[in-house]
Each structure stands twice: as structure tokens, then as C-alpha cells.
Amino acid sequence: GQNIDQPTEMTATEGAIVQINCTYQTSGFNGLFWYQQHAGEAPTFLSYNVLDGLEEKGRFSSFLSRSKGYSYLLLKELQMKDSASYLCAVDNDYKLSFGAGTTVTVRA
Amino acid sequence: GAGVSQSPSNKVTEKGKDVELRCDPISGHTALYWYRQRLGQGLEFLIYFQGNSAPDKSGLPSDRFSAERTGESVSTLTIQRTQQEDSAVYLCASSLGSGRLNEQFFGPGTRLTVL
């Protein structure tokens, strides 16, 4: 089966940095996605990692270690609009297996 | 619009009734997925279509659930004899293919409420 774990909730202050960890145990692995989902909306793509290391894209960065089955999403210079759920998803052939999501609340 | 569209956006039905949900993927996307998301939970894979291959139905929770896709276009998800536990948001996504091309683009979802 697929097992993807991430924290349920995180709270941080505007302007701060938050790191959302994701650990996975899956029967296959082609890559790892991070999606952002605002309440009541569809998930939108944030990042994709297929090789080990850090991928930086503006205020958001994503890291992958395939040997450890571990990824994190780093959100810098937090803004109120970053309050959302962040979903980790493992690409296993054609299917994505999603974690339950981490709800990030940004406080002023 | 070039995105994934779904209809209806909201559906309220009575227990025991059948419902049909529709998804129009992005043109040219050969892969189409259906997910279910219960309140406060992650996405639960239901079914996957890829071109003319046999669909992967491994995520369908019971035989009350079925889905069809016409070629590489519209898909319908049908739930027969709905139960209250079927209440959820049903999300459809489409993608070009595998690997980085497997970035899935999601529709806005259909919120189903079974009374």
C-alpha cells in the first residue's frame, strides 16, 4: 500500500518561514508533487521533485531525499494569502497518492 | 476557458437516488482522474482513464460507483443509490501523461450532499 504522512496543522506569523515535512512509503516512485489548496477551491500545482535536492521557486522551495523517503516544502516570507492546505503527493506510475494535507494558518 | 470544468458545482440529493457528475478535461490531455475529498481530509483516488486503455477502477469504494469516458474527452461519474457517507467534494483532474507531464490540473469540484 501507500503511506504518506504529513503534519495536520501548522501555525506561523506573517513574514516568518514554515517547513512542511512529508514522509512516504510507496510501492513505486516517479516523483513528488506539492499542491496548494485554499478552502473550498481545487488544488493547484506548486512544485515537482524527481531528483534529490532542493528546487527553489520564488518564496517556495521543495526538497527531496529519495533514499530517506522524505520531502519538505519551505515557505518563506509568509503572507496572509499563504493560509491554505498543502498536499504532498507521490507520483507512482500514472497515479498520484496524496497525503491528508497540512493546514497552514498565517497570523498577523 | 482552457481549464478543467465540472458540473454541477453543487448537488443535493436524497438518500437512495442516483447522481451523475460530469467532467470536461483540458483539451489534449489523455489522462483523466476522479478523486473524492471528504471534509477536512485528503484526496482519495477513485478511478483513472488513459487514452483507450482499460481504466484503473481500483479506488472505487463500492459497486454503486461507476465512471465512463468518451474517447479522450468528457467523463461522467455515476453514484447509484446514494448514501449519506457519499457526501463529499468530487474532484476531476486531467494530465498530459507521466512524469513531469503527470502534473494534474484540477477542476473546481462538485460538492455532493446526500440528505
Side-chain angles (χ1 to χ4, degrees), chain A residues 31-58:
Chain A
L32 188 143
F33 286 87
W34 283 95
Y35 280 83
Q36 180 190 58
Q37 185 177 27
H38 284 100
E41 298 182 12
T44 55
F45 169 82
L46 285 179
S47 68
Y48 177 71
N49 292 70
V50 63
L51 299 176
D52 289 353
L54 187 68
E55 295 272 348
E56 297 188 80
K57 188 187 298 183

Side-chain angles (χ1 to χ4, degrees), chain A residues 33 35 37 40 42-43 45 48 87 91 93-96 98-100, chain B residues 33 35 37 41-43 45 48 56 58 99-100 102-104 106-107:
Chain A
F33 286 87
Y35 280 83
Q37 185 177 27
F45 169 82
Y48 177 71
L87 308 173
D91 181 354
D93 288 332
Y94 50 81
K95 284 195 290 192
L96 291 189
F98 282 84
Chain B
Y33 311 76
Y35 294 91
Q37 187 173 32
Q41 299 185 20
L43 277 69
F45 168 79
Y48 161 78
D56 177 353
S58 61
R100 178 62 179 84
N102 200 26
E103 177 190 340
Q104 295 184 18
F106 286 84

Side-chain angles (χ1 to χ4, degrees), chain A residues 40-91:
Chain A
E41 298 182 12
T44 55
F45 169 82
L46 285 179
S47 68
Y48 177 71
N49 292 70
V50 63
L51 299 176
D52 289 353
L54 187 68
E55 295 272 348
E56 297 188 80
K57 188 187 298 183
R59 294 188 299 113
F60 293 2
S61 303
S62 57
F63 172 84
L64 175 67
S65 169
R66 290 171 297 173
S67 62
K68 296 182 179 179
Y70 168 70
S71 172
Y72 67 72
L73 180 70
L74 193 70
L75 286 62
K76 294 180 281 189
E77 301 169 18
L78 279 173
Q79 302 176 8
M80 299 299 288
K81 66 179 181 180
D82 297 330
S83 292
S85 181
Y86 293 84
L87 308 173
C88 171
V90 172
D91 181 354

